[in-house]
Amino acid sequence: MSPSRCPVAPTLSADPAAPVPETLAYSFTLPARLTSPALARAASREVLRAHGLADLLDPALQAVSELVAVACRFTESTDVYLSLRYRASALRVIAYDSHPRHTHPKLATACDTHRRAALRFLACVCRACDGTWGFGEAREPGGGTRMWATLPSVGARAYGSPPAMPR
């Protein structure tokens, strides 16, 4: 019997380049607790600042907070999942919870109505940023529900600014 060898550790790049918006890709697993929206906001704030996206903070943190709060409210497990990505000049915020999509039409309609009502504020934020939002069946093996908000950077940067006055 020959002795087994330890694998050689990979060489990691010590790239000193600062993070840029296009490299923003983070995922968090959070406990399904009342404190998680605040934790998600704090982590997201630091990530967005590090990637040079501080000008998107207001709508982004509102979206993060709403999505995580609703995920915590609906999940049947002990945790929820949050994903932040910046692609094609837009911030994409996705939250997953374990609540399965209902197969019975009346239950599905009632549950969707309840979830849509819980996401009313998110709908307003997305509309103000010319973004989109929604929810549907999670495509991951564990199932559940996927909720998302897409905030185009141009609209998100103008969020909260008074509308331009016509000349």
Side-chain angles (χ1 to χ4, degrees), residues 66-79:
E66 290 291 306
L67 288 169
V68 171
V70 172
C72 287
R73 186 170 161 193
F74 276 81
T75 196
E76 297 174 359
S77 69
T78 58
D79 54 17

Side-chain angles (χ1 to χ4, degrees), residues 3-48:
S4 60
R5 295 181 182 225
C6 291
V8 176
T11 304
L12 300 176
S13 170
D15 184 2
V20 295
E22 291 73 21
T23 62
L24 187 139
Y26 292 84
S27 299
F28 306 97
T29 300
L30 300 154
R33 308 198 116 182
L34 292 175
T35 55
S36 287
L39 291 171
R41 279 192 310 274
S44 298
R45 180 180 298 111
E46 294 309 313
V47 163
L48 291 166

Side-chain angles (χ1 to χ4, degrees):
M1 207 149 97
S2 66
S4 60
R5 295 181 182 225
C6 291
V8 176
T11 304
L12 300 176
S13 170
D15 184 2
V20 295
E22 291 73 21
T23 62
L24 187 139
Y26 292 84
S27 299
F28 306 97
T29 300
L30 300 154
R33 308 198 116 182
L34 292 175
T35 55
S36 287
L39 291 171
R41 279 192 310 274
S44 298
R45 180 180 298 111
E46 294 309 313
V47 163
L48 291 166
R49 284 183 177 154
H51 284 268
L53 294 167
D55 51 350
L56 307 183
L57 281 175
D58 286 344
L61 297 181
Q62 289 174 347
V64 163
S65 191
E66 290 291 306
L67 288 169
V68 171
V70 172
C72 287
R73 186 170 161 193
F74 276 81
T75 196
E76 297 174 359
S77 69
T78 58
D79 54 17
V80 297
Y81 177 81
L82 174 69
S83 170
L84 298 172
R85 303 281 184 271
Y86 188 82
R87 302 288 182 273
S89 297
L91 178 66
R92 297 171 190 195
V93 183
I94 303 171
Y96 296 89
D97 64 67
S98 68
H99 184 73
R101 304 291 295 154
H102 296 282
T103 55
H104 189 280
K106 286 186 179 182
L107 283 176
T109 299
C111 191
D112 286 355
T113 300
H114 188 61
R115 192 178 289 263
R116 194 171 286 106
L119 293 169
R120 268 190 314 256
F121 187 67
L122 177 69
C124 293
V125 170
C126 289
R127 188 171 32 259
C129 295
D130 293 324
T132 60
W133 70 279
F135 57 89
E137 187 171 357
R139 294 172 246 166
E140 284 62 38
T145 302
R146 172 182 174 261
M147 299 177 289
W148 70 88
T150 302
L151 305 171
S153 58
V154 172
R157 284 185 178 104
Y159 180 78
S161 300
M165 298 298 291
R167 291 182 180 199

